[in-house]
Amino acid sequence: MHERDERLLIVSPVFNEAAHLRRTARAVAAQTRRPDRWVIVDDGSRDGTLEIARALEAELDFVTALSAPPADAGADNLALAREARAFNYGLRRAGWSDFGFVGKLDGDVELPPEWFAELLERFRADPLLGLTGGRLAEPGRGGWRVIAIPDHHVHGAVKLYRRDCLLAVGGVPERLAWDTIDETYARMRGYGTRSFGDLVARHHRPWASADGLLRGRARHGECAWILHYGPAWVALRSLKVARARPPVLSGAAFLWGYWGAALRGTERVDDPAFRRFARRELRARMAGPLRAAAESLAGGRPLFGKGAGRPAVARETTREAGGP
């Protein structure tokens, strides 16, 4: 048994994960550092997920299977924050404050064997690291593809908190955009948030696919509104999202989610300090790309297409050498 400050609790809120949960369990059981307790919380599944969770409880001595209290019905489970509510229910039932590290793991994720051991070692190496995880790869036409995310963002499917950080941010809010609200508050409270690119897990149900891709894009636009992200950032982001599947429509759905939330008067994070901090972070992140674009224009280099990002001197040298 590990000491209190080294104990590891994992909570998995699951909904209709019968096709994946046993694979996830095999990966957790094969960890070089197993969780001290793994709580699987079924949130009203209709495909036998709860029965699988109960079978795992009988097979693995560190597993507890729970059934979440009935939640509001609706077409969009993420918008209703059912996942966050089930996660919090599992935390309460497990007595999470008795653990030094607390994680969330979705029931469709397959972890590499060293996942928890490596992340705990990185917590030990950096006392200010408060929230961490690795990257997710999803199946595609050409095989497994790693989802591109900023280093400071941690996927909601594989979050691991230091207990003191989770306490400092006030826990997980039960609302849409919870998995960005928590990490923003973590940085506000002086903790680092980090996803490590050398740890990659397989996500067997593609991101934003549970309720349809376009609904997922619109939901993320609504999240941007809730988080106080400004119109300039949203416009730039929509251009990037427009390149995702389905092209163009994805960007339009993202914009619709943002402006639709604005028109409906969707409640945003009601904290002026959060708003100021979030917008200050966005301005800092936008400064680099905008500066690069300005330098490209000033140097006579195209922003897009052939020659984009190449130094003007290099292009002249190529022409002199008879190149294109």
Side-chain angles (χ1 to χ4, degrees), residues 32 35 52 55 71 118 122 137 139 148 159 163 166 168-169 177 193 225-227 237 242 244 256 264 269 278 316-317:
T32 58
I52 294 172
E118 284 289 338
R122 293 171 198 198
K159 285 181 178 280
R163 180 190 59 227
L166 189 56
V169 304
T193 63
W225 168 260
I226 291 169
L227 297 164
R237 180 67 179 174
W256 168 249
R264 292 192 304 273
V269 177
E316 286 294 326
T317 304

Side-chain angles (χ1 to χ4, degrees), residues 56 103 106 124 127 130 186 197 209 228 231 241 270 307 312:
L56 292 171
D106 281 6
R124 295 185 194 103
S209 68
H228 295 281
V241 175
D270 187 18

Side-chain angles (χ1 to χ4, degrees), residues 175-198:
R175 61 173 306 174
L176 187 62
W178 69 268
D179 57 344
T180 302
I181 295 172
D182 64 341
E183 64 185 36
T184 303
Y185 269 120
R187 293 190 295 274
M188 284 179 63
R189 306 291 188 246
Y191 287 95
T193 63
R194 174 83 184 273
S195 284
F196 291 97
D198 60 331

Side-chain angles (χ1 to χ4, degrees), residues 10-14 78 83-84 87 102-109 111 115-116 131-136 138 147 149-150 152-161 172 175 177-183 194-195 201 203 205 207-208 220:
I10 301 300
V11 176
S12 294
V14 292
L78 287 182
E83 181 184 35
F87 178 64
V102 178
K104 177 179 175 293
L105 175 66
D106 281 6
D108 54 5
V109 174
L111 301 174
W115 185 273
F116 292 131
L131 170 59
T132 191
R135 302 301 173 98
L136 293 179
E138 293 182 341
I147 302 171
I149 59 169
H152 66 268
H153 178 60
V154 182
H155 286 292
V158 289
K159 285 181 178 280
L160 188 59
Y161 304 85
V172 170
R175 61 173 306 174
W178 69 268
D179 57 344
T180 302
I181 295 172
D182 64 341
E183 64 185 36
R194 174 83 184 273
S195 284
H203 188 210
R205 184 158 63 176
W207 176 76
H220 285 99

Side-chain angles (χ1 to χ4, degrees), residues 31-190:
Q31 291 293 298
T32 58
R33 167 58 162 96
R34 284 184 175 186
D36 294 282
R37 191 172 183 188
W38 181 23
V39 178
I40 304 172
V41 183
D42 180 72
D43 190 21
S45 298
R46 299 181 296 273
D47 66 347
T49 297
L50 180 58
E51 289 72 21
I52 294 172
R54 287 173 174 163
L56 292 171
E57 182 178 35
E59 296 167 15
L60 300 170
D61 61 3
F62 59 94
V63 172
T64 300
L66 299 174
S67 182
D72 295 336
D76 192 335
N77 287 327
L78 287 182
L80 292 169
R82 290 184 57 166
E83 181 184 35
R85 292 174 187 174
F87 178 64
N88 283 336
Y89 176 74
L91 291 181
R92 291 192 298 271
R93 289 290 300 271
W96 67 273
S97 60
D98 290 332
F99 295 82
F101 302 96
V102 178
K104 177 179 175 293
L105 175 66
D106 281 6
D108 54 5
V109 174
E110 184 179 6
L111 301 174
E114 69 282 3
W115 185 273
F116 292 131
E118 284 289 338
L119 291 179
L120 291 179
E121 186 59 37
R122 293 171 198 198
F123 273 123
R124 295 185 194 103
D126 182 359
L128 291 180
L129 183 62
L131 170 59
T132 191
R135 302 301 173 98
L136 293 179
E138 293 182 341
R141 295 175 184 173
W144 290 90
R145 176 186 61 87
V146 176
I147 302 171
I149 59 169
D151 287 345
H152 66 268
H153 178 60
V154 182
H155 286 292
V158 289
K159 285 181 178 280
L160 188 59
Y161 304 85
R162 191 186 297 273
R163 180 190 59 227
D164 293 346
C165 176
L166 189 56
L167 281 168
V169 304
V172 170
E174 296 179 356
R175 61 173 306 174
L176 187 62
W178 69 268
D179 57 344
T180 302
I181 295 172
D182 64 341
E183 64 185 36
T184 303
Y185 269 120
R187 293 190 295 274
M188 284 179 63
R189 306 291 188 246

